[in-house]
Amino acid sequence: MEKLLEIKDLHASAKDKDILKGLNLTINKGEVHVIMGPNGAGKSTLANVIFNNPLYNFKRSGSIEFEEENIDNLKTNEIAKKGIFMSFQSPEEIPGISTLNFLKYAKNKISGEPVKTFKFKFLLKKYIDELNMNPKLIDRNLNVGFSGGEKKKNEILQMLVLEPKLAILDETDSGLDVDAIKTVSKGIDMYKNENNAVLIITHNNRILESLKVDYVHVLVDGKIVKTGSAELATEIEKEGYEKYKKVEE
């Protein structure tokens, strides 16, 4: 398997509080990984540290390599251009720019090639139909007035259009009903192939029911304390995290 992302002994903190405490993770091309854990375990912190989010001043030690290149000191936009995508728990509303123009601009920046409008709109229509989205949303300001489900589907649309090498989905299933979760799962399935990878951060296993998952990791108190197959997510759904918390005590 060809290695895509490798995290070694990652320590990170926020406001003088240690959050990640020696986290290790390797993701190969073609794989779907899931990180589950209780609130405050460090799941979203991990996603933001990978992306070197400027709103966070986390990283203390350890290393993050993407395609065998150290990306610790790259800016967020540079990391995105390398081929990493992040879907947010609460996507921002951006007035003044339509979803269509946002996607065209982002696609141009990622590919470095001019976007042909007619061909691009045809591609968008295909994805919008597959995701059961309202086609009128594409001409509205990005996420402005969108429902929670529409915002989450719009994140998946962005992922499909931008075709990243690694997609990090931070609680994309949060607050969605059963039908919307199935649609998001369908979008993930449309995206994944042998040359890319997915990292799903979630609290429950509903989004995993329609996906083939390679590895499930349990993150407790800043460390991955257990790795297993999809059955591990089912176990956690039934029994919770208590026995894994005891491992850290």
Side-chain angles (χ1 to χ4, degrees):
M1 301 291 286
E2 189 174 351
K3 193 180 298 180
L4 191 61
L5 180 76
E6 185 171 27
I7 299 173
K8 298 178 182 177
D9 194 30
L10 185 61
H11 290 74
S13 61
K15 296 181 180 178
D16 298 323
K17 180 181 179 181
D18 291 336
I19 299 178
L20 301 181
K21 305 173 183 178
L23 188 144
N24 295 282
L25 177 67
T26 299
I27 299 176
N28 298 311
K29 289 184 178 180
E31 294 179 344
V32 177
H33 289 242
V34 176
I35 291 183
M36 304 181 74
N39 289 332
K43 301 185 299 298
S44 293
T45 297
L46 172 61
N48 281 287
V49 171
I50 292 172
F51 237 90
N52 205 4
N53 188 329
L55 296 178
Y56 297 80
N57 185 21
F58 283 130
K59 196 169 179 302
R60 295 177 59 196
S61 62
S63 65
I64 303 173
E65 292 186 356
F66 185 67
E67 294 190 307
E68 299 186 347
E69 176 187 354
N70 188 292
I71 62 171
D72 291 343
N73 297 315
L74 294 184
K75 296 178 181 178
T76 299
N77 65 305
E78 294 171 332
I79 293 170
K81 288 190 75 172
K82 293 288 182 183
I84 301 179
F85 171 88
M86 181 174 169
S87 168
F88 298 96
Q89 290 185 42
S90 301
E92 292 287 336
E93 296 187 4
I94 304 178
I97 180 170
S98 70
T99 301
L100 173 61
N101 286 335
F102 171 80
L103 288 171
K104 283 176 62 179
Y105 181 81
K107 184 68 173 178
N108 174 262
K109 286 294 182 180
I110 294 293
S111 67
E113 299 175 357
V115 175
K116 297 180 180 179
T117 302
F118 181 79
K119 184 178 179 181
F120 190 67
K121 284 187 173 181
F122 180 81
L123 180 67
L124 282 183
K125 184 180 184 307
K126 172 190 170 187
Y127 289 146
I128 286 169
D129 289 345
E130 292 279 3
L131 296 174
N132 195 28
M133 293 177 66
N134 180 350
K136 294 181 180 179
L137 296 179
I138 203 70
D139 294 314
R140 286 171 49 183
N141 288 346
L142 182 64
N143 289 326
V144 176
F146 287 24
S147 69
E150 288 169 341
K151 288 181 178 180
K152 297 300 180 71
K153 288 181 181 180
N154 200 24
E155 295 280 284
I156 298 301
L157 175 64
Q158 293 171 36
M159 177 185 72
L160 291 170
V161 169
L162 298 178
E163 300 177 293
K165 298 173 184 177
L166 173 65
I168 303 172
L169 308 180
D170 188 5
E171 299 199 29
T172 304
D173 55 336
S174 176
L176 299 184
D177 60 27
V178 173
D179 290 337
I181 286 176
K182 288 181 178 178
T183 300
V184 168
S185 296
K186 180 181 179 182
I188 296 170
D189 198 51
M190 290 165 58
Y191 158 77
K192 66 185 182 68
N193 59 50
E194 63 182 11
N195 293 313
N196 61 29
V198 184
L199 176 59
I200 300 171
I201 296 170
T202 185
H203 276 293
N204 58 66
N205 69 349
R206 290 184 302 165
I207 196 172
L208 312 180
E209 292 173 357
S210 304
L211 293 172
K212 181 183 179 299
V213 172
D214 296 292
Y215 299 100
V216 174
H217 310 279
V218 180
L219 179 60
V220 175
D221 194 27
K223 289 183 179 181
I224 291 175
V225 298
K226 176 75 173 180
T227 295
S229 63
E231 285 72 25
L232 180 56
T234 304
E235 175 202 307
I236 291 170
E237 188 79 5
K238 293 178 180 178
E239 302 178 11
Y241 298 104
E242 197 59 35
K243 71 178 182 181
Y244 297 110
K245 290 180 180 178
K246 292 177 181 178
V247 171
E248 289 298 296
E249 292 176 355

